[in-house]
Amino acid sequence: MKLFQFIKLILFFVGICLAVKNPVPNGKKFKSVLSKDALVPLRDPKTGVVKLTDKNIKLIVNPAVREANIVVFLTANSPQIGCKACKDFLPIFQKTAKTFMESYPDKTLDNSADQLSNRDLFFIELDYSVTGEFFKSLKIDRVPHIWVVPSYDVLYRYLTTEKNLGPDELADPSNFLLKSSDHYQYSVSEGSSPQEFSNYISAALQISFKISNGGNDGFELDETTVGMAIIAISIIVIIKKKINDQDNTLLQKASKPRVWMGLSVLLICLFCSGYMFTVVRGVPLLARNEKGPFYFAGGSQYQIGIESFIVCGVYLFIGFWVVLLTDILPKYAPIEEEHQSEKVVTVTEKDESNKEEKENDTEEKEDSEEKDDVPQNHFHLSETAHSVLVIIAVIGLYYAFSLLTSIYLKKDGGYPFAMSRVL
């Protein structure tokens, strides 16, 4: 009966799940639109970069609706200004733009509109010498700046799911204009490279875009790899020697089933949470925008490194409550009355059993030290206490699943099966 009550309680919590849909309007309420067709003719076929001046910069500044994602490079190439960081990053920006243009051909002529196209992302260069008025309007006093600006659809989902803006606020064009809308800002550093830059763009814009490292993405036998291999082998040899010196005591402890069970569960959760994706794709551990680091990349086609560890922790959190409900709490369940009456013994029987226990006391102590299993339970919870713990465990399990579905909602605002939102 208790099992059926537990199942009914689980079904009750699952029954309150709601289907959540978050359609994106087409943006027709805004008159100004930056279409993909307007930027394609301006793209340099040699570098893949769109260079704008004060004469045509309104093309990206005025529209509230952008059909494509854009990456804006605010730079100053004039020798009088002498921006070394701008000069050093320009080849990286151009290589990234050219690689994207060549790697993702135009999909408008076939039936692959759902796939990534070079019309979905444009790299735009704004030089201070030819777009000075725009720089002054932004009150920018230093360069370079790299803005990763999402398209209208992506930005709309972000404003509704992350900022929870209502219809009135979404009708305000300032939430979508280039100067005032939310965007990601890439920080140029000495370690910047086309590979790292493309990974950042992928995380920010929810796309899968990676630049190979000159064909050296596979296994490379260098001094670092050889050194780490030597260190690993040395550690294994030392551990094996210690095991032999201690008469295999350490080996016996390390070979306990529960140790390997726990290690296996940890590795399973880690790899099922997308760890290998981050390794194969070479994605960054963390991504950052103007508000600081963020821990979940939007979209179901991409993730940053920290996500795999967070999801792994959530899986383990769910597993804890499942084990508590199915394995631990049943051991401490209250005993039924008929079973208790069977365990009642006479005083004589107790005396005889006590004598036998005293005689075997030494042997039992020695045996207990060698046992690997969990000690036998010597008490049982009352029915009230057991019921309270079951309810707490069920609530904990519901919260853990809500945490998992909340992560899904962060990845995709249109995910239809949401429990309580806790993120």
Side-chain angles (χ1 to χ4, degrees):
M1 291 296 294
K2 292 181 179 180
L3 178 60
F4 289 112
Q5 292 176 356
F6 170 72
I7 294 175
K8 286 193 293 183
L9 188 57
I10 287 290
L11 293 176
F12 168 76
F13 282 117
V14 174
I16 66 174
C17 297
L18 301 175
V20 178
K21 292 291 183 182
N22 187 22
V24 179
N26 56 16
K28 289 184 178 179
K29 59 186 176 182
F30 300 120
K31 296 181 180 180
S32 56
V33 176
L34 173 60
S35 66
K36 301 177 182 179
D37 295 333
L39 292 174
V40 171
L42 300 176
R43 183 161 49 190
D44 188 343
K46 295 182 179 180
T47 62
V49 176
V50 176
K51 293 185 178 181
L52 299 180
T53 65
D54 280 332
K55 295 180 180 180
N56 58 3
I57 195 175
K58 293 181 179 180
L59 189 68
I60 65 170
V61 174
N62 292 338
V65 177
R66 288 177 295 275
E67 292 183 352
N69 304 295
I70 59 175
V71 179
V72 183
F73 181 26
L74 302 171
T75 181
N77 297 323
S78 173
Q80 287 77 13
I81 297 178
C83 177
K84 184 178 183 302
C86 300
K87 182 180 179 181
D88 292 342
F89 188 75
L90 181 59
I92 297 174
F93 186 78
Q94 292 178 343
K95 180 178 180 179
T96 306
K98 183 178 181 180
T99 303
F100 182 82
M101 180 182 65
E102 295 176 347
S103 302
Y104 301 93
D106 193 348
K107 299 292 183 181
T108 57
L109 301 179
D110 55 28
N111 297 323
S112 304
D114 58 332
Q115 298 181 4
L116 192 61
S117 163
N118 61 24
R119 296 164 63 92
D120 297 326
L121 174 62
F122 291 89
F123 292 79
I124 300 174
E125 179 182 340
L126 301 180
D127 191 353
Y128 178 78
S129 61
V130 292
T131 57
E133 294 300 323
F134 179 69
F135 276 75
K136 293 177 182 178
S137 66
L138 295 177
K139 298 180 180 180
I140 291 178
D141 56 359
R142 58 189 179 88
V143 285
H145 287 277
I146 294 92
W147 291 357
V148 181
V149 187
S151 65
Y152 173 79
D153 290 353
V154 176
L155 186 56
Y156 184 92
R157 290 193 181 95
Y158 169 78
L159 294 175
T160 53
T161 58
E162 297 293 331
K163 288 198 167 183
N164 299 318
L165 297 187
D168 295 338
E169 295 171 304
L170 292 172
D172 183 0
S174 64
N175 288 315
F176 300 95
L177 293 175
L178 177 64
K179 290 183 179 180
S180 52
S181 66
D182 289 338
H183 59 269
Y184 303 96
Q185 181 157 328
Y186 175 80
S187 298
V188 178
S189 64
E190 294 182 357
S192 296
S193 66
Q195 294 78 24
E196 195 265 343
F197 185 40
S198 64
N199 289 337
Y200 181 87
I201 295 173
S202 298
L205 298 180
Q206 313 164 20
I207 61 177
S208 180
F209 169 42
K210 179 184 178 183
I211 298 179
S212 62
N213 189 18
N216 294 326
D217 293 332
F219 177 77
E220 183 178 356
L221 189 64
D222 54 9
E223 293 84 355
T224 302
T225 306
V226 174
M228 293 183 66
I230 294 175
I231 293 174
I233 294 173
S234 302
I235 292 175
I236 293 174
V237 171
I238 293 173
I239 292 176
K240 189 175 183 303
K241 188 175 183 302
K242 290 290 184 181
I243 290 175
N244 293 333
D245 293 343
Q246 297 181 14
D247 298 328
N248 294 332
T249 303
L250 184 60
L251 180 61
Q252 291 176 1
K253 292 181 179 180
S255 62
K256 291 182 179 181
R258 291 184 180 274
V259 173
W260 291 104
M261 287 169 57
L263 181 61
S264 299
V265 169
L266 178 62
L267 291 176
I268 290 171
C269 290
L270 182 62
F271 287 115
C272 287
S273 61
Y275 175 74
M276 288 308 299
F277 174 90
T278 62
V279 173
V280 173
R281 294 294 185 93
V283 300
L285 178 65
L286 285 174
R288 180 182 296 272
N289 56 20
E290 71 280 358
K291 296 180 180 179
F294 60 93
Y295 305 100
F296 297 100
S300 58
Q301 301 298 320
Y302 194 82
Q303 70 175 38
I304 53 179
I306 194 65
E307 286 186 46
S308 62
F309 296 101
I310 295 176
V311 174
C312 175
V314 173
Y315 284 155
L316 292 174
F317 190 44
I318 294 173
F320 166 76
W321 295 112
V322 172
V323 171
L324 183 64
L325 283 168
T326 60
D327 183 57
I328 298 177
L329 287 180
K331 294 179 180 179
Y332 296 91
I335 302 175
E336 301 293 339
E337 294 182 0
E338 55 220 29
H339 294 298
Q340 289 180 350
S341 61
E342 292 176 1
K343 294 188 176 182
V344 176
V345 294
T346 62
V347 177
T348 306
E349 290 173 342
K350 285 184 178 179
D351 293 338
E352 292 177 357
S353 62
N354 288 336
K355 291 180 181 179
E356 293 177 358
E357 289 177 0
K358 289 179 180 179
E359 292 174 358
N360 299 325
D361 183 61
T362 305
E363 296 178 0
E364 288 179 354
K365 286 183 179 179
E366 294 175 354
D367 294 339
S368 62
E369 292 177 356
E370 298 176 356
K371 285 183 180 179
D372 187 42
D373 297 330
V374 178
Q376 297 294 324
N377 297 326
H378 296 289
F379 69 94
H380 293 271
L381 296 170
S382 65
E383 187 169 354
T384 301
H386 188 263
S387 300
V388 170
L389 289 177
V390 169
I391 293 174
I392 292 175
V394 171
I395 294 175
L397 182 60
Y398 174 78
Y399 177 82
F401 269 105
S402 297
L403 191 60
L404 186 62
T405 57
S406 296
I407 293 175
Y408 273 96
L409 284 173
K410 274 190 169 292
K411 301 284 291 180
D412 182 5
Y415 181 68
F417 306 108
M419 303 179 78
S420 297
R421 188 157 189 172
V422 295
L423 291 178

